[in-house]
Amino acid sequence: MAAHVGASRTPQEVMEHYVSMYIHGNLGKACIPDSIPNRVTDHTCPSGGPLSPSLTTPLPPLDISVAEQQQLGYMPLRDDYEIEYDQDAETLISGLSVNYDDDDVEIELKRAHVDMYVRKLKERQRRKNIARDYNLVPAFLGKDKREKEKALKRKITKEEKELRLKLRPLYQFMSCKEFDDLFENMHKEKMLRAKIRELQRYRRNGITKMEESAEYEAARHKRERRKENKNMAGSKRGKEEGRDGEFAAIENLPGFELLSDREKVLCSSLNLSPARYVTVKTIIIKDHLQKRQGIPSKSRLPSYLDKVLKKRILNFLTESGWISRDAS
């Protein structure tokens, strides 16, 4: 029609003129009845649904570089990939041919193959639409991280991230906007429930006006801080008492005051009295000095010192620098 009218009107202008004058204008009101008998009702799914006819409509090509196209095996002019979902789907119809001598069963079988192939094409296109809607290709290429951070208006908690991972199978049944709206509504519900619990707590404490809540919250924070400081002081005092009581088994024995803190811990862990430890320590150090001077010596350790105690004490004296590692 635009070509017939001439170059003065574009196709869009011609279409708008026709619709406004002949359909919605006086001519359309006079000729087109309000109720058309035997009108066909569209029973198909809405656009974007799991079985919608719009699933087979082509999408605009992806805006990616040539290197990224090669990485994905993407062909922008066809909006196809070298490896598609269900790559062998075309084998259902690649060998079909209609012959004049086919009987009814063979014809129905070929129609069934064609129907199976169409269903596979719809599923392939549906997966492309999901990948395009949720920006899976930019996510695979690592492009959408900054855009996601800019788009998010609030910080996502760890619980919400875990819930998103659990509900990931729902992506194929909901659009990206519907999914984001779902989590925004869940966040609003959580905040409203918390606010309701806070107001109920105010009511239980006799507060009926919001002006009184600020004074109540300030007093509550002071009480909690006082309680926290009291608990910290108690725990600190308990630690000090526990440290003093750690050596309760040996602190009243002779020679305890001669030990260092590390030696006290060693004697307490070995269940060895300070006097016996000092004796063993003196013998080991004396033997070590005689060996360094070249004087042969035969150490005579006490009978109560077994191999395990001797090894522990030798390791301790070596780490503390009393004797060299070769001697131990």
Side-chain angles (χ1 to χ4, degrees), residues 27-43:
L27 186 61
K29 293 178 182 178
C31 298
I32 301 176
D34 295 333
S35 59
I36 301 175
N38 302 325
R39 170 171 279 183
V40 178
T41 305
D42 185 11
H43 294 284

Side-chain angles (χ1 to χ4, degrees), residues 219 221-231:
H221 283 305
K222 286 182 180 179
R223 287 196 304 271
E224 289 181 355
R225 187 172 296 176
R226 232 180 357 253
K227 185 177 179 181
E228 185 179 353
N229 293 336
K230 186 178 180 181
N231 292 336

Side-chain angles (χ1 to χ4, degrees), residues 6-48:
S8 61
R9 296 291 183 91
T10 62
Q12 183 68 23
E13 291 175 348
V14 172
M15 184 187 71
E16 292 175 356
H17 175 74
Y18 179 83
V19 171
S20 61
M21 297 298 295
Y22 297 98
I23 296 179
H24 300 300
N26 294 330
L27 186 61
K29 293 178 182 178
C31 298
I32 301 176
D34 295 333
S35 59
I36 301 175
N38 302 325
R39 170 171 279 183
V40 178
T41 305
D42 185 11
H43 294 284
T44 58
C45 293
S47 177

